[in-house]
Amino acid sequence: MKPKILVLGGSGFVGGEVVRVLRDRGHAVRATRRAGEKIEKWEENEEESGEEVEWVEVDLERAESIEGALQGCVAVIHAAGYEPGVGVTMREGLQRGLRELRSVLDGCLAQGVRRIVYVSSAATMNSGQVGGVYDETDFYTPGQSGDVYFEVKYRMEAELYQYFDRGLEILVALPSLVLGPGSMEAPSGQVVRRILEADVHPELAAEPLNVVDVRDVATALVAAMESGRAGRRYALGGVNTDVGSLRGAFVQVMDANDEGGSGSVQGKPSERLIDRLRAQAVERLKHPVVEQVAEFLPEKLVRKAGRGEEGEVDTGLQRYSGHIQSQRARGELGHRPRLLAQTIAASVPTKI
């Protein structure tokens, strides 16, 4: 058995896939879950495989809680980075985000755990170029949009390098719009659902996006932990596409999986299909971030932060706007994104 790895956010969308990859590669795994969160699916898998994941509950705002979870581990994959929800002020978001992050990093210092792979956001690469292609060398400029999410994510990433200077081997992963198995239960899947529901105007349909499969992200995160270069940022992109193409591909798969036969109308899923997709996600997961994401996107979607009509801001979709180039991850981590069609097929329930 390989050394034990701590996965923060192990019961989440990305963290869950990371746990699977680690187990497949022979690592002992300790993973965190939220207080009271059910993990029946993991218990079932463990019964079949004979391998156990050690589940713990931690308070990310308390370094001593983190220290206990770190004991006996040699590295951390942090897939539980704070994301400010609806109504959070800039001050509140920055204070909580930095408090949680510092608790984790201080815990690592105290326990002598040096290797940390941190899952950040492609938003921190968004330099505001219209139609730009981003990679690790691009950075969001503080104050560029005034959006709490962008500002908090940027500030948290900047904080990581303060601890890099203190001896921690920190690597930063920057995934784009992450979809795949289970994504309709995650915030990214809720963004897709709103795209499917909305009347998308031509300008938005051409909005560039990059979509990456959660299975490919997890594989790259484990590769970064095992062999990535400390101090590096890694853009984890997949397929460059646009809003209109992504919507059309989802509609095609949903039609094929539609048992009720109501299908789509003029390239838009029927209300019945949307309702079924929404219900399946809500039934399987109650998550405060997921419940809030529906409020992020107004009915009339807007292209960019600060560039909407009458000051309206699309605070969900703008996080993923732009195309991504992932040559560094391909060369150093062996990142090989799968086809968009494969990701979408895995995202939509087999029967709707």
Side-chain angles (χ1 to χ4, degrees):
M1 182 72 71
K2 293 181 180 179
K4 182 174 289 185
I5 310 300
L6 175 64
V7 181
L8 296 177
S11 58
F13 176 45
V14 172
E17 286 296 329
V18 170
V19 170
R20 290 187 180 91
V21 173
L22 286 169
R23 290 173 64 196
D24 288 345
R25 294 197 181 187
H27 283 281
V29 181
R30 180 179 294 146
T32 68
R33 62 178 178 180
R34 296 179 183 84
E37 189 170 26
K38 297 179 180 180
I39 54 170
E40 288 96 337
K41 64 179 181 179
W42 287 106
E43 292 169 347
E44 292 172 0
N45 291 338
E46 287 164 7
E47 289 178 3
E48 295 175 1
S49 66
E51 300 175 7
E52 293 186 0
V53 174
E54 182 185 351
W55 292 100
V56 295
E57 296 178 3
V58 299
D59 182 349
L60 290 179
E61 296 192 59
R62 295 174 53 244
E64 58 269 28
S65 177
I66 300 296
E67 288 179 32
L70 284 165
Q71 291 181 3
C73 296
V74 300
V76 178
I77 297 180
H78 191 341
Y82 172 67
E83 295 194 358
V86 174
V88 173
T89 67
M90 189 74 73
R91 180 182 177 85
E92 292 169 341
L94 288 171
Q95 287 182 339
R96 179 174 172 182
L98 291 174
R99 186 166 60 245
E100 288 189 4
L101 182 60
R102 288 167 181 162
S103 292
V104 172
L105 300 176
D106 286 340
C108 288
L109 286 173
Q111 290 296 316
V113 178
R114 300 294 172 184
R115 191 80 168 175
I116 304 167
V117 178
Y118 180 78
V119 183
S120 184
S121 168
T124 66
M125 294 188 292
N126 193 327
S127 60
Q129 306 173 54
V130 177
V133 179
Y134 304 112
D135 65 14
E136 306 86 354
T137 63
D138 293 299
F139 289 88
Y140 171 79
T141 302
Q144 178 179 307
S145 72
D147 183 86
V148 176
Y149 179 88
F150 279 75
E151 299 295 324
V152 170
K153 284 298 187 183
Y154 171 84
R155 185 65 183 84
M156 289 173 69
E157 192 175 318
E159 186 71 10
L160 291 168
Y161 290 98
Q162 299 296 320
Y163 283 79
F164 178 77
D165 289 340
R166 296 172 63 181
L168 293 183
E169 298 177 6
I170 295 174
L171 302 88
V172 179
L174 307 165
S176 56
L177 180 62
V178 185
L179 299 175
S183 61
M184 290 303 131
E185 304 164 4
S188 57
Q190 301 308 301
V191 171
V192 170
R193 181 173 62 76
R194 292 304 298 268
I195 291 174
L196 293 172
E197 290 177 323
D199 293 319
V200 178
H201 55 78
E203 185 181 15
L204 178 65
E207 183 74 8
L209 291 174
N210 183 282
V211 176
V212 65
D213 196 291
V214 65
R215 294 165 291 185
D216 299 327
V217 170
T219 300
L221 292 174
V222 174
M225 183 272 297
E226 292 178 335
S227 60
R229 294 176 57 183
R232 287 283 214 186
R233 300 171 92 213
Y234 289 98
L236 300 183
V239 177
N240 286 320
T241 183
D242 56 58
V243 170
S245 298
L246 181 64
R247 172 176 160 137
F250 263 95
V251 169
Q252 185 176 12
V253 172
M254 291 170 69
D255 275 350
N257 294 353
D258 180 18
E259 289 190 324
S262 59
S264 59
V265 179
Q266 296 182 342
K268 181 177 180 179
S270 68
E271 291 184 9
R272 190 192 66 81
L273 283 177
I274 290 292
D275 288 342
R276 290 288 297 278
L277 201 61
R278 181 191 300 114
Q280 290 190 20
V282 172
E283 285 173 6
R284 290 193 295 267
L285 184 67
K286 290 291 185 181
H287 187 302
V289 174
V290 172
E291 292 170 354
Q292 291 170 352
V293 167
E295 302 177 37
F296 285 163
L297 292 171
E299 288 302 323
K300 184 176 182 181
L301 301 175
V302 184
R303 287 193 74 211
K304 296 277 188 179
R307 294 179 60 242
E309 296 177 6
E310 300 178 356
E312 192 174 20
V313 176
D314 164 12
T315 56
L317 189 62
Q318 63 163 343
R319 303 174 185 180
Y320 311 106
S321 179
H323 284 165
I324 304 295
Q325 192 255 62
S326 302
Q327 290 305 112
R328 177 180 290 175
R330 287 175 178 270
E332 297 183 14
L333 307 181
H335 181 49
R336 295 293 182 270
R338 65 196 70 203
L339 297 174
L340 180 60
Q342 295 174 310
T343 299
I344 294 176
S347 300
V348 178
T350 304
K351 296 180 180 179
I352 298 180

